[in-house]
Amino acid sequence: DGGITQSPKYLFRKEGQNVTLSCEQNLNHDAMYWYRQDPGQGLRLIYYSQIVNDFQKGDIAEGYSVSREKKESFPLTVTSAQKNPTAFYLCASTPGGSNQPQHFGDGTRLSIL
Amino acid sequence: RKEVEQDPGPFNVPEGATVAFNCTYSNSASQSFFWYRQDCRKEPKLLMSVYSSGNEDGRFTAQLNRASQYISLLIRDSKLSDSATYLCVVNPSPNFNKFYFGSGTKLNVKP
């Protein structure tokens, strides 16, 4: 089955630690995205990538980093500079073209220990 | 001003009721519009795309009003299983894929 796989489902971060969230897709989609969702809030864009080896900051990129070395993979690192990392993180992809909707992975919940 | 705005609700309706949500967007050049459904602690799932001519999928009807810059979602004959948060999503640019999400409208369908 084609889809987007995020792992882990739950993640705990210690103070001063960097953690990496995995996002893999086998949909052959060009564009990939990372969002953050806080309780009762909408999705906010962290980073997005439209092609391999290229990515752009979203609205809340501070304290996060990404890479796009392969078309199917778009990992997100939450660095120690992100002081309030507790949230639900969602990865999405689109095939390209402005009229195509996004497909989402089932998310990673990150909490601080 | 936010790119996309929605009434957070909650909308509390009885089973069988008809309910409608609106969503306004700020960029008049916006090209693509979608409604997603999000259940508690789950990822958003595409409900329907919104086309200029409007579109219908079973009990769900979506409309676009470009003059007033809003999209709407109508749910007829509400079911208990329709209880969820409904997210409005807008892609404002024809040149690249960047999506803006509303904060969502919560719907509770009661027996």
Short mmCIF file of all heavy atoms in Angstrom, two decimals, chain B residues 30-96:
data_model
loop_
_atom_site.label_atom_id
_atom_site.label_comp_id
_atom_site.label_asym_id
_atom_site.label_seq_id
_atom_site.Cartn_x
_atom_site.Cartn_y
_atom_site.Cartn_z
N SER B 30 -6.06 33.01 -4.43
CA SER B 30 -5.98 31.60 -4.01
C SER B 30 -6.57 30.69 -5.08
O SER B 30 -7.58 31.00 -5.71
CB SER B 30 -6.72 31.40 -2.69
OG SER B 30 -6.07 32.08 -1.65
N GLN B 31 -5.91 29.53 -5.25
CA GLN B 31 -6.23 28.66 -6.36
C GLN B 31 -6.95 27.38 -5.96
O GLN B 31 -7.79 26.89 -6.72
CB GLN B 31 -4.93 28.26 -7.06
CG GLN B 31 -4.16 29.43 -7.64
CD GLN B 31 -4.87 30.05 -8.81
OE1 GLN B 31 -5.26 29.35 -9.74
NE2 GLN B 31 -5.07 31.35 -8.77
N SER B 32 -6.56 26.82 -4.83
CA SER B 32 -7.07 25.49 -4.49
C SER B 32 -7.61 25.50 -3.07
O SER B 32 -7.04 26.15 -2.19
CB SER B 32 -5.95 24.45 -4.59
OG SER B 32 -5.32 24.51 -5.84
N PHE B 33 -8.68 24.74 -2.88
CA PHE B 33 -9.38 24.75 -1.61
C PHE B 33 -9.79 23.33 -1.25
O PHE B 33 -10.20 22.55 -2.13
CB PHE B 33 -10.65 25.63 -1.71
CG PHE B 33 -10.39 26.99 -2.29
CD1 PHE B 33 -10.42 27.19 -3.66
CD2 PHE B 33 -10.09 28.06 -1.47
CE1 PHE B 33 -10.17 28.44 -4.21
CE2 PHE B 33 -9.85 29.31 -2.00
CZ PHE B 33 -9.88 29.51 -3.36
N PHE B 34 -9.68 23.02 0.04
CA PHE B 34 -9.99 21.66 0.47
C PHE B 34 -10.65 21.69 1.84
O PHE B 34 -10.41 22.58 2.63
CB PHE B 34 -8.69 20.83 0.58
CG PHE B 34 -7.81 20.90 -0.64
CD1 PHE B 34 -6.78 21.81 -0.70
CD2 PHE B 34 -8.02 20.05 -1.70
CE1 PHE B 34 -5.96 21.89 -1.82
CE2 PHE B 34 -7.21 20.12 -2.83
CZ PHE B 34 -6.18 21.04 -2.88
N TRP B 35 -11.44 20.67 2.11
CA TRP B 35 -11.93 20.40 3.46
C TRP B 35 -11.32 19.08 3.92
O TRP B 35 -11.35 18.08 3.20
CB TRP B 35 -13.45 20.28 3.49
CG TRP B 35 -14.17 21.59 3.43
CD1 TRP B 35 -14.79 22.15 2.36
CD2 TRP B 35 -14.33 22.52 4.51
NE1 TRP B 35 -15.34 23.36 2.71
CE2 TRP B 35 -15.08 23.61 4.03
CE3 TRP B 35 -13.94 22.53 5.86
CZ2 TRP B 35 -15.43 24.71 4.82
CZ3 TRP B 35 -14.28 23.61 6.64
CH2 TRP B 35 -15.02 24.68 6.12
N TYR B 36 -10.79 19.11 5.14
CA TYR B 36 -10.27 17.91 5.79
C TYR B 36 -11.07 17.66 7.05
O TYR B 36 -11.59 18.58 7.68
CB TYR B 36 -8.79 18.09 6.19
CG TYR B 36 -7.80 17.94 5.07
CD1 TYR B 36 -7.63 18.93 4.11
CD2 TYR B 36 -7.01 16.79 4.96
CE1 TYR B 36 -6.72 18.79 3.09
CE2 TYR B 36 -6.09 16.64 3.93
CZ TYR B 36 -5.95 17.65 3.01
OH TYR B 36 -5.03 17.50 2.00
N ARG B 37 -11.08 16.40 7.44
CA ARG B 37 -11.69 16.00 8.71
C ARG B 37 -10.56 15.51 9.62
O ARG B 37 -9.68 14.77 9.17
CB ARG B 37 -12.67 14.87 8.45
CG ARG B 37 -13.21 14.22 9.69
CD ARG B 37 -13.84 12.88 9.41
NE ARG B 37 -14.09 12.21 10.67
CZ ARG B 37 -15.30 11.83 11.08
NH1 ARG B 37 -16.36 12.00 10.29
NH2 ARG B 37 -15.44 11.25 12.26
N GLN B 38 -10.60 15.95 10.89
CA GLN B 38 -9.59 15.48 11.84
C GLN B 38 -10.29 14.97 13.09
O GLN B 38 -11.00 15.72 13.75
CB GLN B 38 -8.59 16.58 12.20
CG GLN B 38 -7.45 16.06 13.07
CD GLN B 38 -6.37 17.09 13.34
OE1 GLN B 38 -6.61 18.29 13.33
NE2 GLN B 38 -5.14 16.62 13.58
N ASP B 39 -10.07 13.70 13.40
CA ASP B 39 -10.57 13.14 14.64
C ASP B 39 -9.56 13.40 15.75
O ASP B 39 -8.36 13.64 15.48
CB ASP B 39 -10.82 11.64 14.47
CG ASP B 39 -11.97 11.38 13.51
OD1 ASP B 39 -13.11 11.69 13.87
OD2 ASP B 39 -11.72 10.92 12.38
N CYS B 40 -10.04 13.32 16.98
CA CYS B 40 -9.20 13.66 18.13
C CYS B 40 -7.91 12.83 18.14
O CYS B 40 -7.94 11.60 18.05
CB CYS B 40 -9.99 13.43 19.41
SG CYS B 40 -9.15 14.02 20.88
N ARG B 41 -6.78 13.52 18.20
CA ARG B 41 -5.47 12.89 18.30
C ARG B 41 -5.09 12.05 17.07
O ARG B 41 -4.29 11.13 17.16
CB ARG B 41 -5.36 12.05 19.57
CG ARG B 41 -5.60 12.87 20.84
CD ARG B 41 -5.57 11.99 22.08
NE ARG B 41 -4.23 11.49 22.39
CZ ARG B 41 -3.30 12.18 23.02
NH1 ARG B 41 -3.52 13.42 23.41
NH2 ARG B 41 -2.11 11.65 23.25
N LYS B 42 -5.69 12.41 15.93
CA LYS B 42 -5.37 11.70 14.68
C LYS B 42 -4.93 12.70 13.62
O LYS B 42 -5.05 13.91 13.81
CB LYS B 42 -6.62 10.97 14.17
CG LYS B 42 -7.16 9.91 15.10
CD LYS B 42 -6.31 8.68 15.06
CE LYS B 42 -7.00 7.53 15.79
NZ LYS B 42 -6.19 6.31 15.74
N GLU B 43 -4.43 12.18 12.51
CA GLU B 43 -4.03 13.05 11.42
C GLU B 43 -5.23 13.53 10.63
O GLU B 43 -6.27 12.87 10.59
CB GLU B 43 -3.05 12.31 10.49
CG GLU B 43 -3.69 11.31 9.54
CD GLU B 43 -3.94 9.96 10.15
OE1 GLU B 43 -3.96 9.83 11.40
OE2 GLU B 43 -4.11 9.01 9.36
N PRO B 44 -5.13 14.69 9.96
CA PRO B 44 -6.22 15.14 9.08
C PRO B 44 -6.37 14.20 7.90
O PRO B 44 -5.39 13.69 7.36
CB PRO B 44 -5.75 16.52 8.61
CG PRO B 44 -4.69 16.93 9.57
CD PRO B 44 -4.03 15.67 10.02
N LYS B 45 -7.63 14.01 7.50
CA LYS B 45 -7.90 13.19 6.32
C LYS B 45 -8.75 14.00 5.34
O LYS B 45 -9.69 14.68 5.75
CB LYS B 45 -8.62 11.91 6.72
CG LYS B 45 -7.73 10.99 7.54
CD LYS B 45 -8.38 9.66 7.81
CE LYS B 45 -7.40 8.78 8.59
NZ LYS B 45 -7.99 7.49 8.99
N LEU B 46 -8.39 13.93 4.08
CA LEU B 46 -9.09 14.68 3.05
C LEU B 46 -10.56 14.27 2.98
O LEU B 46 -10.87 13.10 2.81
CB LEU B 46 -8.42 14.48 1.69
CG LEU B 46 -9.06 15.21 0.52
CD1 LEU B 46 -8.88 16.73 0.67
CD2 LEU B 46 -8.47 14.74 -0.80
N LEU B 47 -11.43 15.26 3.12
CA LEU B 47 -12.86 15.03 2.97
C LEU B 47 -13.27 15.29 1.52
O LEU B 47 -13.88 14.45 0.87
CB LEU B 47 -13.63 15.94 3.93
CG LEU B 47 -15.13 15.81 3.96
CD1 LEU B 47 -15.54 14.43 4.45
CD2 LEU B 47 -15.75 16.88 4.86
N MET B 48 -12.92 16.47 1.04
CA MET B 48 -13.21 16.79 -0.35
C MET B 48 -12.46 18.02 -0.82
O MET B 48 -12.15 18.90 -0.02
CB MET B 48 -14.71 16.96 -0.60
CG MET B 48 -15.41 17.97 0.25
SD MET B 48 -17.21 17.74 0.34
CE MET B 48 -17.68 17.56 -1.35
N SER B 49 -12.16 18.05 -2.10
CA SER B 49 -11.65 19.26 -2.72
C SER B 49 -12.85 20.15 -3.05
O SER B 49 -13.98 19.66 -3.16
CB SER B 49 -10.90 18.91 -4.01
OG SER B 49 -9.83 18.03 -3.75
N VAL B 50 -12.61 21.43 -3.18
CA VAL B 50 -13.69 22.38 -3.46
C VAL B 50 -13.45 22.98 -4.82
O VAL B 50 -12.42 23.63 -5.05
CB VAL B 50 -13.75 23.50 -2.40
CG1 VAL B 50 -14.97 24.38 -2.64
CG2 VAL B 50 -13.76 22.92 -1.00
N TYR B 51 -14.36 22.77 -5.74
CA TYR B 51 -14.21 23.27 -7.09
C TYR B 51 -15.07 24.51 -7.30
O TYR B 51 -16.03 24.76 -6.56
CB TYR B 51 -14.63 22.18 -8.10
CG TYR B 51 -13.87 20.89 -7.91
CD1 TYR B 51 -14.53 19.70 -7.64
CD2 TYR B 51 -12.48 20.86 -8.01
CE1 TYR B 51 -13.84 18.52 -7.45
CE2 TYR B 51 -11.78 19.69 -7.82
CZ TYR B 51 -12.46 18.52 -7.54
OH TYR B 51 -11.77 17.36 -7.36
N SER B 52 -14.72 25.29 -8.30
CA SER B 52 -15.42 26.55 -8.56
C SER B 52 -16.91 26.34 -8.76
O SER B 52 -17.73 27.18 -8.37
CB SER B 52 -14.84 27.22 -9.80
OG SER B 52 -13.51 27.58 -9.59
N SER B 53 -17.27 25.23 -9.36
CA SER B 53 -18.68 24.95 -9.64
C SER B 53 -19.39 24.31 -8.46
O SER B 53 -20.58 23.99 -8.54
CB SER B 53 -18.77 24.02 -10.85
OG SER B 53 -18.01 22.85 -10.62
N GLY B 54 -18.67 24.10 -7.37
CA GLY B 54 -19.25 23.39 -6.24
C GLY B 54 -19.22 21.91 -6.49
O GLY B 54 -19.15 21.45 -7.64
N ASN B 55 -19.22 21.13 -5.43
CA ASN B 55 -19.23 19.69 -5.61
C ASN B 55 -19.90 19.01 -4.44
O ASN B 55 -19.98 19.56 -3.35
CB ASN B 55 -17.82 19.13 -5.85
CG ASN B 55 -16.80 19.63 -4.87
OD1 ASN B 55 -16.63 20.84 -4.71
ND2 ASN B 55 -16.09 18.73 -4.24
N GLU B 56 -20.39 17.82 -4.72
CA GLU B 56 -21.18 17.07 -3.75
C GLU B 56 -20.65 15.64 -3.68
O GLU B 56 -20.27 15.05 -4.70
CB GLU B 56 -22.65 17.07 -4.21
CG GLU B 56 -23.62 16.45 -3.23
CD GLU B 56 -25.06 16.64 -3.67
OE1 GLU B 56 -25.43 17.77 -4.07
OE2 GLU B 56 -25.81 15.65 -3.68
N ASP B 57 -20.62 15.13 -2.46
CA ASP B 57 -20.20 13.74 -2.26
C ASP B 57 -21.10 13.15 -1.19
O ASP B 57 -20.87 13.35 0.00
CB ASP B 57 -18.73 13.69 -1.84
CG ASP B 57 -18.23 12.25 -1.68
OD1 ASP B 57 -19.01 11.30 -1.94
OD2 ASP B 57 -17.06 12.06 -1.29
N GLY B 58 -22.14 12.48 -1.64
CA GLY B 58 -23.10 11.91 -0.69
C GLY B 58 -23.79 12.99 0.11
O GLY B 58 -24.42 13.90 -0.44
N ARG B 59 -23.63 12.96 1.43
CA ARG B 59 -24.28 13.94 2.30
C ARG B 59 -23.52 15.25 2.41
O ARG B 59 -23.98 16.17 3.09
CB ARG B 59 -24.43 13.33 3.70
CG ARG B 59 -25.30 12.07 3.74
CD ARG B 59 -25.43 11.52 5.17
NE ARG B 59 -24.17 11.01 5.70
CZ ARG B 59 -23.48 11.60 6.67
NH1 ARG B 59 -23.91 12.73 7.21
NH2 ARG B 59 -22.36 11.05 7.10
N PHE B 60 -22.37 15.33 1.80
CA PHE B 60 -21.49 16.50 1.93
C PHE B 60 -21.49 17.33 0.64
O PHE B 60 -21.36 16.79 -0.45
CB PHE B 60 -20.06 16.05 2.23
CG PHE B 60 -19.93 15.28 3.51
CD1 PHE B 60 -20.17 13.91 3.56
CD2 PHE B 60 -19.57 15.93 4.68
CE1 PHE B 60 -20.06 13.20 4.74
CE2 PHE B 60 -19.45 15.22 5.88
CZ PHE B 60 -19.70 13.86 5.90
N THR B 61 -21.65 18.66 0.82
CA THR B 61 -21.61 19.57 -0.32
C THR B 61 -20.65 20.71 0.01
O THR B 61 -20.74 21.31 1.09
CB THR B 61 -23.00 20.15 -0.61
OG1 THR B 61 -23.90 19.09 -0.91
CG2 THR B 61 -22.95 21.12 -1.78
N ALA B 62 -19.76 21.00 -0.92
CA ALA B 62 -18.81 22.10 -0.75
C ALA B 62 -19.07 23.16 -1.80
O ALA B 62 -19.39 22.84 -2.94
CB ALA B 62 -17.38 21.59 -0.86
N GLN B 63 -18.96 24.42 -1.39
CA GLN B 63 -19.17 25.54 -2.31
C GLN B 63 -18.03 26.52 -2.16
O GLN B 63 -17.45 26.67 -1.09
CB GLN B 63 -20.48 26.26 -1.98
CG GLN B 63 -21.74 25.42 -2.14
CD GLN B 63 -22.20 25.34 -3.59
OE1 GLN B 63 -21.65 25.99 -4.47
NE2 GLN B 63 -23.19 24.50 -3.84
N LEU B 64 -17.74 27.22 -3.26
CA LEU B 64 -16.73 28.28 -3.27
C LEU B 64 -17.39 29.58 -3.70
O LEU B 64 -18.08 29.61 -4.72
CB LEU B 64 -15.61 27.91 -4.24
CG LEU B 64 -14.61 29.00 -4.61
CD1 LEU B 64 -13.83 29.48 -3.39
CD2 LEU B 64 -13.65 28.51 -5.69
N ASN B 65 -17.18 30.62 -2.95
CA ASN B 65 -17.66 31.95 -3.30
C ASN B 65 -16.46 32.87 -3.43
O ASN B 65 -15.95 33.39 -2.43
CB ASN B 65 -18.64 32.47 -2.25
CG ASN B 65 -19.27 33.80 -2.64
OD1 ASN B 65 -18.60 34.69 -3.13
ND2 ASN B 65 -20.57 33.93 -2.43
N ARG B 66 -15.98 33.04 -4.66
CA ARG B 66 -14.76 33.84 -4.88
C ARG B 66 -15.01 35.33 -4.60
O ARG B 66 -14.14 36.02 -4.13
CB ARG B 66 -14.27 33.67 -6.31
CG ARG B 66 -13.58 32.33 -6.55
CD ARG B 66 -12.75 32.38 -7.83
NE ARG B 66 -12.10 31.11 -8.12
CZ ARG B 66 -10.92 30.76 -7.60
NH1 ARG B 66 -10.27 31.58 -6.80
NH2 ARG B 66 -10.40 29.59 -7.91
N ALA B 67 -16.21 35.81 -4.91
CA ALA B 67 -16.49 37.24 -4.71
C ALA B 67 -16.36 37.63 -3.25
O ALA B 67 -15.82 38.68 -2.92
CB ALA B 67 -17.88 37.56 -5.24
N SER B 68 -16.85 36.76 -2.38
CA SER B 68 -16.80 37.05 -0.94
C SER B 68 -15.66 36.33 -0.24
O SER B 68 -15.50 36.45 0.97
CB SER B 68 -18.13 36.66 -0.28
OG SER B 68 -19.19 37.38 -0.85
N GLN B 69 -14.89 35.58 -0.99
CA GLN B 69 -13.70 34.89 -0.48
C GLN B 69 -14.02 33.97 0.68
O GLN B 69 -13.46 34.10 1.79
CB GLN B 69 -12.59 35.89 -0.13
CG GLN B 69 -12.04 36.57 -1.36
CD GLN B 69 -10.90 37.55 -1.08
OE1 GLN B 69 -10.75 38.53 -1.77
NE2 GLN B 69 -10.13 37.30 -0.07
N TYR B 70 -14.96 33.05 0.44
CA TYR B 70 -15.18 32.02 1.45
C TYR B 70 -15.55 30.71 0.78
O TYR B 70 -16.00 30.67 -0.36
CB TYR B 70 -16.25 32.43 2.47
CG TYR B 70 -17.68 32.42 1.98
CD1 TYR B 70 -18.44 31.24 2.04
CD2 TYR B 70 -18.28 33.57 1.51
CE1 TYR B 70 -19.76 31.24 1.60
CE2 TYR B 70 -19.60 33.57 1.07
CZ TYR B 70 -20.33 32.40 1.11
OH TYR B 70 -21.63 32.39 0.69
N ILE B 71 -15.31 29.64 1.51
CA ILE B 71 -15.79 28.33 1.10
C ILE B 71 -16.70 27.79 2.20
O ILE B 71 -16.62 28.23 3.36
CB ILE B 71 -14.65 27.33 0.80
CG1 ILE B 71 -13.83 27.01 2.06
CG2 ILE B 71 -13.75 27.86 -0.29
CD1 ILE B 71 -12.83 25.88 1.85
N SER B 72 -17.58 26.92 1.82
CA SER B 72 -18.54 26.38 2.78
C SER B 72 -18.60 24.86 2.67
O SER B 72 -18.25 24.27 1.64
CB SER B 72 -19.93 26.98 2.55
OG SER B 72 -20.40 26.60 1.27
N LEU B 73 -19.01 24.25 3.77
CA LEU B 73 -19.23 22.80 3.81
C LEU B 73 -20.59 22.58 4.44
O LEU B 73 -20.86 23.06 5.54
CB LEU B 73 -18.16 22.11 4.64
CG LEU B 73 -18.33 20.60 4.80
CD1 LEU B 73 -18.13 19.87 3.47
CD2 LEU B 73 -17.34 20.06 5.84
N LEU B 74 -21.44 21.85 3.73
CA LEU B 74 -22.78 21.53 4.22
C LEU B 74 -22.85 20.03 4.45
O LEU B 74 -22.47 19.24 3.58
CB LEU B 74 -23.83 21.94 3.17
CG LEU B 74 -25.30 21.66 3.52
CD1 LEU B 74 -25.80 22.72 4.49
CD2 LEU B 74 -26.16 21.63 2.27
N ILE B 75 -23.31 19.65 5.63
CA ILE B 75 -23.49 18.24 5.95
C ILE B 75 -24.98 18.00 6.20
O ILE B 75 -25.58 18.62 7.09
CB ILE B 75 -22.68 17.83 7.20
CG1 ILE B 75 -21.20 18.18 7.04
CG2 ILE B 75 -22.85 16.33 7.47
CD1 ILE B 75 -20.36 17.92 8.28
N ARG B 76 -25.55 17.13 5.41
CA ARG B 76 -26.97 16.79 5.57
C ARG B 76 -27.10 15.50 6.35
O ARG B 76 -26.21 14.64 6.33
CB ARG B 76 -27.63 16.63 4.21
CG ARG B 76 -27.80 17.92 3.43
CD ARG B 76 -28.50 17.65 2.09
NE ARG B 76 -27.69 16.77 1.25
CZ ARG B 76 -26.70 17.20 0.50
NH1 ARG B 76 -26.38 18.47 0.46
NH2 ARG B 76 -26.01 16.33 -0.24
N ASP B 77 -28.25 15.34 7.03
CA ASP B 77 -28.56 14.10 7.74
C ASP B 77 -27.36 13.66 8.60
O ASP B 77 -26.81 12.57 8.45
CB ASP B 77 -28.90 13.00 6.72
CG ASP B 77 -29.42 11.73 7.37
OD1 ASP B 77 -29.91 11.81 8.52
OD2 ASP B 77 -29.32 10.65 6.75
N SER B 78 -26.96 14.52 9.51
CA SER B 78 -25.77 14.29 10.33
C SER B 78 -25.83 12.95 11.05
O SER B 78 -26.87 12.54 11.57
CB SER B 78 -25.63 15.40 11.38
OG SER B 78 -25.48 16.64 10.77
N LYS B 79 -24.68 12.28 11.08
CA LYS B 79 -24.52 11.01 11.80
C LYS B 79 -23.62 11.23 13.02
O LYS B 79 -22.80 12.16 13.03
CB LYS B 79 -23.87 9.96 10.90
CG LYS B 79 -24.47 9.81 9.52
CD LYS B 79 -25.83 9.21 9.57
CE LYS B 79 -26.36 8.95 8.15
NZ LYS B 79 -27.82 8.62 8.18
N LEU B 80 -23.76 10.35 14.00
CA LEU B 80 -22.87 10.43 15.17
C LEU B 80 -21.42 10.39 14.73
O LEU B 80 -20.56 11.07 15.30
CB LEU B 80 -23.16 9.29 16.14
CG LEU B 80 -24.53 9.28 16.81
CD1 LEU B 80 -24.68 8.03 17.67
CD2 LEU B 80 -24.73 10.53 17.65
N SER B 81 -21.14 9.60 13.69
CA SER B 81 -19.77 9.44 13.21
C SER B 81 -19.22 10.68 12.51
O SER B 81 -18.02 10.73 12.20
CB SER B 81 -19.70 8.25 12.25
OG SER B 81 -20.60 8.43 11.17
N ASP B 82 -20.07 11.67 12.26
CA ASP B 82 -19.58 12.92 11.67
C ASP B 82 -18.91 13.81 12.71
O ASP B 82 -18.30 14.82 12.36
CB ASP B 82 -20.74 13.70 11.03
CG ASP B 82 -21.33 13.00 9.82
OD1 ASP B 82 -20.61 12.22 9.17
OD2 ASP B 82 -22.53 13.24 9.54
N SER B 83 -19.03 13.48 13.98
CA SER B 83 -18.41 14.27 15.04
C SER B 83 -16.90 14.28 14.85
O SER B 83 -16.26 13.22 14.84
CB SER B 83 -18.75 13.70 16.42
OG SER B 83 -20.14 13.77 16.67
N ALA B 84 -16.35 15.46 14.68
CA ALA B 84 -14.92 15.62 14.39
C ALA B 84 -14.64 17.11 14.29
O ALA B 84 -15.53 17.94 14.47
CB ALA B 84 -14.56 14.94 13.07
N THR B 85 -13.40 17.45 14.00
CA THR B 85 -13.04 18.83 13.67
C THR B 85 -12.82 18.92 12.17
O THR B 85 -12.14 18.06 11.59
CB THR B 85 -11.76 19.24 14.43
OG1 THR B 85 -12.03 19.22 15.84
CG2 THR B 85 -11.33 20.65 14.03
N TYR B 86 -13.39 19.94 11.56
CA TYR B 86 -13.31 20.10 10.11
C TYR B 86 -12.37 21.27 9.79
O TYR B 86 -12.58 22.39 10.26
CB TYR B 86 -14.72 20.31 9.53
CG TYR B 86 -15.53 19.04 9.63
CD1 TYR B 86 -16.20 18.74 10.81
CD2 TYR B 86 -15.56 18.13 8.58
CE1 TYR B 86 -16.91 17.54 10.93
CE2 TYR B 86 -16.27 16.95 8.69
CZ TYR B 86 -16.93 16.65 9.86
OH TYR B 86 -17.62 15.46 9.99
N LEU B 87 -11.34 20.97 9.04
CA LEU B 87 -10.30 21.94 8.71
C LEU B 87 -10.47 22.44 7.28
O LEU B 87 -10.63 21.66 6.35
CB LEU B 87 -8.92 21.29 8.84
CG LEU B 87 -8.55 20.66 10.17
CD1 LEU B 87 -7.19 19.98 10.07
CD2 LEU B 87 -8.51 21.71 11.26
N CYS B 88 -10.39 23.74 7.15
CA CYS B 88 -10.42 24.39 5.85
C CYS B 88 -8.97 24.63 5.42
O CYS B 88 -8.16 25.09 6.23
CB CYS B 88 -11.17 25.70 6.01
SG CYS B 88 -11.05 26.84 4.66
N VAL B 89 -8.63 24.31 4.18
CA VAL B 89 -7.25 24.43 3.71
C VAL B 89 -7.24 25.17 2.38
O VAL B 89 -8.04 24.86 1.49
CB VAL B 89 -6.60 23.04 3.54
CG1 VAL B 89 -5.15 23.19 3.12
CG2 VAL B 89 -6.70 22.26 4.83
N VAL B 90 -6.32 26.12 2.25
CA VAL B 90 -6.24 26.95 1.06
C VAL B 90 -4.81 26.95 0.54
O VAL B 90 -3.86 27.08 1.32
CB VAL B 90 -6.68 28.40 1.37
CG1 VAL B 90 -6.51 29.29 0.14
CG2 VAL B 90 -8.12 28.42 1.86
N ASN B 91 -4.66 26.80 -0.76
CA ASN B 91 -3.36 26.99 -1.40
C ASN B 91 -3.43 28.29 -2.18
O ASN B 91 -4.11 28.36 -3.20
CB ASN B 91 -3.03 25.82 -2.32
CG ASN B 91 -1.65 25.96 -2.97
OD1 ASN B 91 -1.07 27.05 -2.99
ND2 ASN B 91 -1.14 24.88 -3.49
N PRO B 92 -2.74 29.35 -1.73
CA PRO B 92 -2.91 30.66 -2.35
C PRO B 92 -2.13 30.88 -3.63
O PRO B 92 -2.39 31.86 -4.33
CB PRO B 92 -2.42 31.61 -1.26
CG PRO B 92 -1.43 30.83 -0.49
CD PRO B 92 -1.89 29.40 -0.54
N SER B 93 -1.18 30.00 -3.92
CA SER B 93 -0.29 30.31 -5.04
C SER B 93 -0.40 29.29 -6.16
O SER B 93 -0.42 28.10 -5.91
CB SER B 93 1.16 30.35 -4.55
OG SER B 93 2.04 30.44 -5.65
N PRO B 94 -0.40 29.75 -7.40
CA PRO B 94 -0.39 28.79 -8.51
C PRO B 94 1.01 28.27 -8.80
O PRO B 94 1.18 27.37 -9.61
CB PRO B 94 -0.91 29.64 -9.68
CG PRO B 94 -0.44 31.02 -9.35
CD PRO B 94 -0.51 31.13 -7.85
N ASN B 95 2.02 28.85 -8.13
CA ASN B 95 3.40 28.56 -8.49
C ASN B 95 4.06 27.49 -7.64
O ASN B 95 5.00 26.85 -8.07
CB ASN B 95 4.24 29.84 -8.41
CG ASN B 95 3.74 30.89 -9.38
OD1 ASN B 95 3.41 30.58 -10.51
ND2 ASN B 95 3.65 32.12 -8.92
N PHE B 96 3.61 27.35 -6.43
CA PHE B 96 4.21 26.31 -5.61
C PHE B 96 3.22 25.87 -4.55
O PHE B 96 2.25 26.56 -4.26
CB PHE B 96 5.52 26.78 -4.96
CG PHE B 96 5.38 27.97 -4.07
CD1 PHE B 96 5.15 27.82 -2.71
CD2 PHE B 96 5.50 29.24 -4.57
CE1 PHE B 96 5.02 28.92 -1.88
CE2 PHE B 96 5.39 30.35 -3.75
CZ PHE B 96 5.15 30.19 -2.41
#
